[in-house]
Amino acid sequence: MTLYERDGCHLCDAARVLLDEMLGSGGYARVDIDADDDLVLRYGFRVPVIGLDGADRLEAPISAPDLRMLISELGA
């Protein structure tokens, strides 16, 4: 699971808190989109986005119920 984010984004901060609570801080990858021009073009102002297996699965705003559902799909 990957969190696409950028510095100074309050929605990204909120998504990171949820991910930390549900998966632990080492349970997912973090990617700063501003470090890659292609990612800036791809995501622009849509961050945060959670990707899984190469597909964008959730995007801002990310809610706890939506994230729980995605995590439960991993265990299925």
Side-chain angles (χ1 to χ4, degrees), residues 4-53:
Y4 295 95
E5 62 182 343
R6 67 169 17 121
D7 285 337
C9 167
H10 71 281
L11 292 174
C12 298
D13 294 340
R16 196 168 44 254
V17 167
L18 287 173
L19 283 162
D20 286 351
E21 289 173 356
M22 293 183 195
L23 297 176
S25 61
Y28 62 99
R30 294 173 55 191
V31 175
D32 179 358
I33 68 162
D34 290 326
D36 184 316
D37 291 340
D38 290 335
L39 291 177
V40 171
L41 289 173
R42 179 176 174 182
Y43 293 110
F45 293 102
R46 290 191 309 135
V47 291
V49 173
I50 294 179
L52 183 61
D53 297 329

Side-chain angles (χ1 to χ4, degrees), residues 51-68:
L52 183 61
D53 297 329
D56 297 340
R57 298 293 302 272
L58 297 174
E59 65 181 72
I62 294 171
S63 70
D66 290 340
L67 185 54
R68 271 191 218 96

